[in-house]
Amino acid sequence: MLAVHLVSFFFSKLQEDPTKKVDRFLHAMRLQDDQLIDISKRFLAEMKKGLSAESTAAAAVKMLPTHVRSTPDGSEKGQFLALDLGGSKFKVLRVKVREDVGIRKGGVEMEEKIYPIPKELHVGRAAELFDHVSESLKDFLHEKNIGLETRHPLAFTFSFPCEHPSLDQGLLVSWCKNYKIRGLQGKDVVQALRQSIGRAGDMDVEILAMVGDTVATMMTCGFDDQCCEVGLIIGTGTNACYMEELRHIDLVEGDEGRMCVNTEWGAFGDDGALDDHITEFDRDVDAASLNPGKQIFEKMISGMYLGELVRLVVLKMAKLGLLFDGRVSDALRTKGKITTADVAAMEEYRNGLNNTRDILTHLHLDPSPEDCIAVQHVSTIVSFRSSNLVAAGLAAILTRIGQNRNVRGLRITVGVDGTVYKTHPQYPKRLHKVVRRLLPECQVRFVLSESGSSKGAALVAAVAQRLTSQRRKVDEALSLFTLNQQQLQLVKSRMREGLEAGLKSKGCSVKMLPSFVYHTPDGTEYGKYLALDLGGTNFRAMLVRFKRQKSRLYHKIYTIPLEIMQGTGEELFDHLAQCVCDFLDYMGLKKARLPAGFTFSFPCEQSGVDTGTLLSWTKGFKATDCEGQDVVSMLREAIKRRNEFDLDIVALLNDTVGTMMSCAYEDPQCEIGMIAGTGSNLCYMEQLKNIEKLKEGSGITRTDTEALEREDDEDVVTEKSFLEAGKSKMCINTEWGGLGDDRCLDDIITPYDAEVDIHSVNPGKQRFEKLTSGMYLGEIVRQVLLDLTRRGLLFKGNVTETLKTAGIFETKYLSQIESDRLALLQVRSILQHLGLRGTCDDSIVVKEVCGAVSRRAAQLCGAGMAAVVDKIREDRRLERLSITVGVDGALYKLHPHFSQVLKETVKVMAPQCDVTFLPSEEGSGKGAALIAAVVRQKQEM
């Protein structure tokens, strides 16, 4: 009975579908999606390992930087020579690249000649190989009548693993593809080529770039599809490259922009990472190769090994009696008798089985129809595994790019070349399908490289040439914003002259307005004080309580409607009185007559601490019948008209003075206030005797000034003697934004600054402020970007309506774009929000423009500050001055680099001064209350 069952089982197996027995035999090669996802994750981990300086030495996947920093954008042009060396033959080409202009699409024209490489040169000396290459190049130049009147740029495709210290250097890592040439490993391949060209003579060429075939493929496809950021080779060998964020490539200095990384993924698995997927046939192929234990991933994928894998499987099955009735021919036992071309032929859609029978017959086998079906299925499984593994590796690369961009729905193009991809009838379709299955959220387009790696090498050179030219022109434009020490010293000197002139007389560009604030807080202030703050589209009312060197603040913010800002003066001040009334009612203080300080951040000329004549409106205010009027009187009259409350307005000040007072309450050494925000200004405590324009009266008696002058008879005037003199100092509101109104800054003003000034509401006025304040920096940047775009150096020369719109580039964007934490893709996002669609390279330039403009602003403020602190030090006859500056304003507080550049400049420009910068926490409102407290305290003494 048992014998009957065995016979039955045997005959059932004979009748079995031939593909089923192959499936069972090669089950380890049939990879499921969960296995592919796992392989993809392993490869992603290897990529990170190769990019890190700490682990790259131990990484199997080397992740070699190529120094190719940009893909084509269509503006490349020029004529190039190209050499393509990577197999048994090499090519010399002349490549003409035509720019993409208007309706005429860019294009590439090529002439080429193929030269054989004798087999003995594959294993000879490096000098012999490159002498042969150089002589062939020389022959090509003569044949094509390419003259030597000008130097010819040359691009070199060298399809062997190399480390690239720069774009025109390549240190050979190892030979492959049956090359074993002596004397070049670890050395610069480009230098070897240069030397051989020199030996050949009569050629004037400049080698601009050396790349591998993978990078060249990406560049070739990138010329026609600018979404192409991945290159893939599936041919005799296999490899992939992609554009990586430079900040992740530890082996290259710098963190701005991107660079193409050559993964050299063929070595994936050399460290055992794929051991659980390696079959006995893979081990046999590896053992018989020229480099056992190396290029494991490549040996499972590439065209050099697919045919051999099929042969070994078929041989094993035949020996086990699963094929050809157990018969094995000598040809089947011979290495290399089944090629990758045979694999492709066996899998042809219509003629595959016939081709399989012919191939097996040629191997002196007598296959049955079932044998042909089984062998064809072996071929399918081996090639399918190859495409699956490529898909897993590619999925890892695309995942990496998506992570860099912080997007899930990636849209990208992959440029592909290689004989397996091009000639295998099923391979591309299988690969595409599996990639899309592994990454369903990605839109991946595959583009076949039509012109091979030679065109790509020329495009690398063309891109490098374009970037070099653009870099030079951008640098020239931005050099206008670079201030050397001599120029900064000149600004400091002119600021000092402006300060001195403004103290002597009225009508100077640096106005030096007296504030009639004689004292900073001493910490003894106490009680309740009201602070009112008008400096823009909002009005703030505050109640500040001082007690035991501590303060508490309560406030409400009120909007100033546009119709009030631009109505009558009476309407404006009635609105302010209404806001104050509401606040007092809210605080339950309507019946109390509180002392108040009024921060009024518009240019005023004061004749006392509680009076001030408005010189001119700024910041969009146009209320009538106010200029030339005392704003304190106008507020008092509005309060009277309302007749619901009363205030004792004891002080009028601007935001700069308020900032100084607020910080002086925290630090007694604070005697300077600075605003670096929408506007730019500075105040400081000046010696009363130096304010010559006040000596004729205006609130200061002649007795006061004569008493101070008598102190000059002493050899040294100490700070103590000043304090003993009572009113020895007064806070001066410099209004330093007017420096340059007399054209003393014309030698540092750029055409971009001039354009901003012409289109401002006050042409020719506030020139220093227009170089340094937040109201104007964004507009300066816009003017630079507009000029660079018109010159074709940005945004492909596309001047959008947005870019032509004044004020669209707000200064807040400078702070965001220059943030060290902000990746360039986020910079692109900001630009897209403004309607400016640019490349990563455009983002780099925009960031550099923002940096140049903001750095100059900070340096100018630093030079101005240096003039002030040095003046204070010299006036006090001190060897060294220690002083604190109270600072407020969004530019200082929010810009990532402004404050640091400011501090560094002051340190260099005023080396005998120790300057501490103290950000104001409560702004000018608390300062207004403090002035009211100081004034009231002095009145009560």
Side-chain angles (χ1 to χ4, degrees):
M1 191 69 182
L2 178 60
V4 172
H5 281 297
L6 287 173
V7 172
S8 174
F9 177 76
F10 177 75
F11 279 103
S12 67
K13 287 297 176 191
L14 289 178
Q15 301 299 319
E16 183 182 32
D17 181 349
T19 60
K20 294 262 179 77
K21 65 181 176 184
V22 175
D23 287 340
R24 277 198 307 276
F25 192 74
L26 294 180
H27 68 277
M29 284 192 176
R30 295 174 59 82
L31 300 173
Q32 305 303 311
D33 281 2
D34 59 336
Q35 293 173 298
L36 295 177
I37 290 169
D38 179 60
I39 291 169
S40 184
K41 288 178 180 177
R42 294 184 203 181
F43 185 69
L44 188 59
E46 281 293 318
M47 291 171 67
K48 292 177 183 176
K49 194 174 172 182
L51 289 169
S52 169
E54 295 177 358
S55 54
T56 188
V61 180
K62 290 302 181 186
M63 304 295 287
L64 302 174
T66 66
H67 292 269
V68 173
R69 295 173 182 263
S70 179
T71 52
D73 70 356
S75 64
E76 292 77 20
K77 57 184 177 181
Q79 180 170 293
F80 304 87
L81 296 172
L83 296 177
D84 188 349
L85 174 62
S88 58
K89 301 173 183 176
F90 80 99
K91 288 190 286 188
V92 184
L93 306 94
R94 174 163 59 180
V95 184
K96 296 179 182 178
V97 183
R98 188 178 68 245
E99 186 179 10
D100 187 355
V101 179
I103 60 172
R104 189 184 75 167
K105 188 166 178 63
V108 177
E109 299 172 12
M110 296 193 300
E111 299 175 75
E112 66 176 55
K113 186 174 180 181
I114 296 174
Y115 293 86
I117 300 178
K119 283 192 176 181
E120 59 270 21
L121 294 182
H122 290 208
V123 291
R125 292 186 302 110
E128 294 170 345
L129 172 66
F130 284 108
D131 284 348
H132 176 71
V133 169
S134 298
E135 289 297 337
S136 301
L137 173 62
K138 189 174 181 180
D139 172 75
F140 182 82
L141 293 176
H142 287 303
E143 183 178 307
K144 301 297 180 182
N145 294 318
I146 299 174
L148 299 176
E149 305 81 31
T150 58
R151 174 167 280 200
H152 299 287
L154 183 142
F156 183 25
T157 304
F158 187 74
S159 302
F160 302 91
C162 290
E163 290 181 5
H164 291 266
S166 65
L167 187 59
D168 61 349
Q169 287 181 287
L171 308 180
L172 179 66
V173 174
S174 62
W175 288 109
C176 55
K177 304 176 187 176
N178 291 322
Y179 275 75
K180 273 203 169 183
I181 294 172
R182 302 186 302 278
L184 193 60
Q185 197 160 331
K187 296 182 180 178
D188 184 3
V189 176
V190 176
Q191 186 61 23
L193 178 60
R194 286 195 182 108
Q195 290 170 352
S196 70
I197 289 173
R199 288 193 294 272
D202 295 331
M203 289 185 285
D204 190 7
V205 298
E206 178 185 11
I207 304 173
L208 294 182
M210 186 187 97
V211 295
D213 52 355
T214 320
V215 179
T217 294
M218 181 188 74
M219 297 296 279
T220 297
C221 298
F223 187 74
D224 298 314
D225 184 337
Q226 285 158 30
C227 288
C228 183
E229 296 186 29
V230 180
L232 176 62
I233 296 289
I234 318 164
T236 306
T238 183
N239 197 10
C241 69
Y242 72 104
M243 296 301 290
E244 174 62 82
E245 299 295 314
L246 196 56
R247 68 183 187 277
H248 295 147
I249 308 173
D250 288 357
L251 298 179
V252 179
E253 288 186 12
D255 58 3
E256 297 290 354
R258 301 178 304 159
M259 181 179 288
C260 182
V261 168
N262 169 18
T263 67
E264 286 296 338
W265 76 1
F268 179 41
D270 288 5
D271 57 357
L274 293 174
D275 280 2
D276 51 339
H277 296 292
I278 299 290
T279 68
E280 61 178 291
F281 309 108
D282 298 308
R283 283 190 284 272
D284 289 344
V285 165
D286 179 53
S289 68
L290 291 172
N291 53 352
K294 303 294 183 184
Q295 299 296 102
I296 297 300
F297 195 58
E298 183 171 71
K299 289 168 183 172
M300 300 168 78
I301 289 172
S302 76
M304 181 172 280
Y305 304 99
L306 290 184
E308 185 62 9
L309 280 169
V310 170
R311 185 189 73 82
L312 290 172
V313 173
V314 171
L315 178 62
K316 179 71 176 288
M317 290 184 73
K319 285 180 176 179
L320 292 175
L322 298 173
L323 288 174
F324 318 125
D325 294 328
R327 289 190 295 275
V328 177
S329 66
D330 289 341
L332 186 59
R333 289 191 177 93
T334 305
K335 180 182 175 182
K337 281 296 184 176
I338 296 181
T339 66
T340 298
D342 293 334
V343 173
M346 284 191 267
E347 293 185 62
E348 280 186 16
Y349 180 66
R350 292 186 181 278
N351 299 315
L353 282 175
N354 289 334
N355 293 339
T356 303
R357 187 185 62 247
D358 292 344
I359 291 164
L360 294 175
T361 302
H362 187 70
L363 293 173
H364 310 299
L365 295 167
D366 185 18
S368 67
E370 289 77 13
D371 289 334
C372 293
I373 293 171
V375 172
Q376 184 189 50
H377 196 52
V378 169
S379 176
T380 299
I381 290 175
V382 169
S383 64
F384 218 133
R385 185 187 67 159
S386 168
S387 62
N388 280 343
L389 289 171
V390 171
L394 192 54
I397 290 173
L398 299 178
T399 299
R400 173 83 189 175
I401 295 172
Q403 290 171 347
N404 288 344
R405 295 186 187 180
N406 197 26
V407 296
R408 280 182 60 82
L410 183 68
R411 185 177 181 183
I412 198 165
T413 298
V414 178
V416 197
D417 203 355
T419 52
V420 173
Y421 186 88
K422 285 182 173 180
T423 62
H424 192 289
Q426 311 296 334
Y427 203 99
K429 183 171 65 176
R430 292 172 184 166
L431 173 64
H432 304 169
K433 187 175 180 180
V434 176
V435 168
R436 287 163 185 153
R437 201 167 67 234
L438 295 178
L439 296 175
E441 68 278 3
C442 290
Q443 297 180 47
V444 187
R445 181 171 181 247
F446 292 83
V447 173
L448 182 63
S449 172
E450 296 296 339
S451 306
S453 52
S454 315
K455 173 181 172 182
L459 285 168
V460 169
V463 169
Q465 202 171 64
R466 166 176 64 83
L467 292 178
T468 300
S469 173
Q470 288 180 347
R471 180 77 269 164
R472 185 178 66 253
K473 292 172 184 175
V474 169
D475 286 346
E476 286 171 1
L478 296 187
S479 68
L480 299 174
F481 295 94
T482 301
L483 300 174
N484 57 37
Q485 283 302 114
Q486 185 179 359
Q487 290 172 307
L488 288 171
Q489 191 62 47
L490 204 58
V491 172
K492 178 186 174 183
S493 300
R494 288 170 182 171
M495 181 64 80
R496 178 67 178 267
E497 292 165 7
L499 299 174
E500 303 283 7
L503 288 171
K504 290 177 182 175
S505 58
K506 296 181 180 180
C508 298
S509 57
V510 183
K511 293 185 174 58
M512 303 295 284
L513 302 175
S515 69
F516 295 89
V517 173
Y518 298 97
H519 305 280
T520 54
D522 61 9
T524 64
E525 294 76 20
Y526 67 94
K528 298 176 184 177
Y529 299 89
L530 202 64
L532 310 175
D533 188 354
L534 179 67
T537 55
N538 292 327
F539 173 69
R540 216 162 48 128
M542 289 155 279
L543 177 71
V544 186
R545 288 178 176 165
F546 298 107
K547 186 177 181 181
R548 296 174 187 169
Q549 290 191 304
K550 291 185 179 180
S551 62
R552 291 194 68 180
L553 188 146
Y554 310 87
H555 72 102
K556 278 187 81 171
I557 297 174
Y558 300 88
T559 302
I560 310 290
L562 184 62
E563 60 270 19
I564 297 291
M565 291 170 61
Q566 300 184 355
T568 67
E570 189 172 295
E571 289 170 342
L572 172 61
F573 283 93
D574 282 346
H575 179 73
L576 299 184
Q578 179 187 337
C579 295
V580 175
C581 182
D582 175 79
F583 179 72
L584 291 173
D585 193 34
Y586 172 74
M587 296 301 300
L589 295 169
K590 212 168 180 182
K591 294 183 179 179
R593 187 175 188 270
L594 295 174
F598 184 19
T599 302
F600 188 76
S601 302
F602 301 91
C604 286
E605 186 170 353
Q606 292 184 249
S607 54
V609 72
D610 62 347
T611 63
T613 302
L614 177 63
L615 298 178
S616 60
W617 282 119
T618 57
K619 306 174 188 176
F621 278 75
K622 292 182 182 178
T624 59
D625 304 321
C626 293
E627 293 180 0
Q629 301 298 313
D630 180 3
V631 294
V632 175
S633 295
M634 293 185 75
L635 181 57
R636 284 176 177 149
E637 289 166 9
I639 292 170
K640 279 184 183 178
R641 285 194 297 273
R642 190 161 191 88
N643 197 28
E644 290 186 46
F645 65 95
D646 196 12
L647 279 187
D648 181 16
I649 304 175
V650 298
L652 176 74
L653 65 152
N654 75 350
D655 51 356
T656 319
V657 178
T659 295
M660 182 192 74
M661 295 296 283
S662 175
C663 293
Y665 188 69
E666 308 294 332
D667 183 347
Q669 281 197 309
C670 182
E671 296 187 63
I672 302 175
M674 178 182 178
I675 297 292
T678 306
S680 177
N681 197 12
L682 179 138
C683 71
Y684 71 102
M685 296 301 291
E686 176 61 86
Q687 294 182 24
L688 203 55
K689 64 187 179 67
N690 293 337
I691 313 174
E692 294 183 28
K693 63 185 177 184
L694 287 180
K695 290 182 180 178
E696 298 305 317
S698 300
I700 303 296
T701 66
R702 180 173 293 277
T703 306
D704 289 332
T705 53
E706 286 175 352
L708 290 166
E709 284 168 354
R710 281 197 298 274
E711 295 180 4
D712 286 342
D713 294 336
E714 301 177 24
D715 289 336
V716 177
V717 182
T718 65
E719 291 193 51
K720 183 178 178 184
S721 66
F722 272 98
L723 293 171
E724 290 171 352
K727 292 180 179 179
S728 62
K729 291 183 268 187
M730 180 192 288
C731 181
I732 292 292
N733 168 22
T734 66
E735 289 293 338
W736 76 357
L739 181 71
D741 290 2
D742 58 357
R743 310 199 68 175
C744 71
L745 296 178
D746 280 9
D747 50 347
I748 65 166
I749 285 175
T750 70
Y752 309 112
D753 301 313
E755 196 68 23
V756 169
D757 178 57
I758 289 168
H759 294 97
S760 68
V761 294
N762 55 349
K765 303 294 182 185
Q766 297 296 100
R767 299 307 300 272
F768 189 72
E769 183 171 69
K770 287 170 184 171
L771 302 177
T772 57
S773 79
M775 180 171 280
Y776 300 100
L777 297 189
E779 185 60 11
I780 296 171
V781 168
R782 187 187 71 84
Q783 290 291 343
V784 178
L785 300 184
L786 185 61
D787 175 56
L788 295 179
T789 306
R790 283 173 173 160
R791 291 163 60 189
L793 304 175
L794 265 182
F795 308 127
K796 298 183 186 176
N798 181 24
V799 179
T800 63
E801 288 302 316
T802 302
L803 198 54
K804 291 190 283 187
T805 305
I808 192 70
F809 205 98
E810 299 173 36
T811 298
K812 70 176 182 181
Y813 295 131
L814 271 74
S815 297
Q816 293 172 8
I817 286 171
E818 289 188 65
S819 171
D820 292 329
R821 299 184 305 275
L822 204 62
L824 288 176
L825 285 165
Q826 290 168 289
V827 176
R828 287 174 72 180
S829 177
I830 292 171
L831 295 177
Q832 286 170 3
H833 177 71
L834 295 170
L836 304 171
R837 297 194 173 276
T839 64
C840 182
D841 297 320
D842 291 334
S843 298
I844 293 173
V845 173
V846 170
K847 194 167 185 176
E848 289 175 351
V849 172
C850 291
V853 172
S854 62
R855 180 175 178 80
R856 183 190 65 166
Q859 287 179 313
L860 289 172
C861 288
M865 178 70 73
V868 172
V869 295
D870 259 352
K871 181 184 187 306
I872 294 172
R873 182 185 62 80
E874 290 170 16
D875 287 348
R876 297 181 187 180
R877 302 179 189 180
L878 298 170
E879 280 296 317
R880 193 156 201 91
L881 173 72
S882 291
I883 197 165
T884 298
V885 179
V887 201
D888 204 356
L891 198 55
Y892 183 90
K893 288 183 173 180
L894 301 180
H895 191 281
H897 307 300
F898 187 95
S899 61
Q900 189 59 37
V901 175
L902 170 66
K903 292 171 187 175
E904 289 170 357
T905 306
V906 174
K907 190 173 183 179
V908 171
M909 302 297 293
Q912 292 173 270
C913 299
D914 298 319
V915 184
T916 302
F917 289 83
L918 179 63
S920 172
E921 296 301 326
E922 302 293 347
S924 54
K926 180 179 173 182
L930 279 164
I931 290 181
V934 170
V935 170
R936 174 52 58 87
Q937 207 167 347
K938 298 302 178 185
Q939 289 173 347
E940 292 174 352
M941 288 176 63

